[in-house]
Amino acid sequence: PRDCGFRRRVTLDWDSMVSVGRVARAHGNRGCVIIDPDTDFPDERFCAGNTLYVRRGSEVAGLFVRDVRFHRGRPIVAFEEVSTMDDAEALASVDLRVPAGTLGSLPDGSYYHHELIGCDVETVDGATVGVVTAVEGDDGAHRLIVEGEAGEIHLPLVTAICVRVDPAKRVIIIDPPDGLLALNPTRVARRSD
């Protein structure tokens, strides 16, 4: 991908930043892009005046949101640093991130996805289930994607099942109903003979 002449060069740790979306494609011929948001707060993340960050090689660059409008729940963004269709096309599939410190606090019992990814999942009896690799869903219907020995398991992120969520200790304790863990692995674990 070519450098689009980004002016806001910053020194940030890309790996500690939080993904808020991905550029889907260019839109129109004036440098706008359509974003696939990866946030529960798209109106806040993609509002005019905000800076979003992209990585080009080892460099992290800021993109200033000049204008935004929404179409079918997806933001169409005009960045100050992107003025042509070629520049916008060069951003296709680029991850957009923000520093974790810019995230607002959430109500008790609510968590950002990045806080849950990487947490160990165990049952109330102490059995290891696996590690959270993703959080999917929206509008209050979220599920944890857990990679364990039996394969990928989808667990509803509800208090009746996830009885203790402790992102600081990187652990989630679950009390699954009978059969839930056996019901939905997506692939069978490999045998080690």
Side-chain angles (χ1 to χ4, degrees):
R2 65 191 201 92
D3 183 357
C4 296
F6 306 125
R7 289 183 282 153
R8 287 177 175 76
R9 307 272 186 221
V10 293
T11 303
L12 293 169
D13 178 20
W14 180 256
D15 294 329
S16 69
M17 296 177 83
V18 179
S19 177
V20 294
R22 180 174 294 276
V23 176
R25 63 180 173 82
H27 178 77
N29 60 2
R30 295 187 180 167
C32 293
V33 294
I34 297 175
I35 308 290
D36 288 328
D38 186 20
T39 175
D40 288 338
F41 310 103
D43 293 337
E44 293 174 27
R45 293 287 159 228
F46 301 103
C47 70
N50 281 358
T51 300
L52 304 173
Y53 296 90
V54 297
R55 182 169 64 178
R56 296 293 192 180
S58 62
E59 187 174 89
V60 177
L63 295 174
F64 184 78
V65 178
R66 181 174 29 90
D67 191 30
V68 65
R69 65 186 170 91
F70 285 80
H71 181 69
R72 297 183 181 172
R74 295 167 74 190
I76 300 173
V77 176
F79 292 114
E80 185 176 296
E81 298 81 1
V82 180
S83 59
T84 69
M85 188 167 70
D86 288 341
D87 291 345
E89 286 175 347
L91 290 174
S93 299
V94 168
D95 194 27
L96 299 168
R97 295 188 182 189
V98 297
T102 64
L103 302 177
S105 59
L106 296 175
D108 287 341
S110 297
Y111 307 95
Y112 286 109
H113 293 182
H114 74 275
E115 294 177 304
L116 303 176
I117 294 172
C119 285
D120 293 322
V121 178
E122 303 172 359
T123 66
V124 291
D125 300 330
T128 299
V129 177
V131 176
V132 177
T133 57
V135 181
E136 294 181 349
D138 54 19
D139 298 330
H142 289 88
R143 65 186 168 277
L144 301 174
I145 308 303
V146 179
E147 186 65 38
E149 287 186 22
E152 185 179 272
I153 298 171
H154 296 205
L155 295 173
L157 183 54
V158 295
T159 54
I161 295 172
C162 299
V163 295
R164 188 173 130 233
V165 178
D166 192 341
K169 292 186 179 176
R170 310 299 298 150
V171 67
I172 298 171
I173 305 298
I174 64 169
D175 188 9
D178 289 341
L180 177 67
L181 298 180
L183 178 68
N184 66 6
T186 57
R187 63 176 166 76
V188 177
R190 295 181 187 151
R191 294 176 56 174
S192 58
D193 359 60

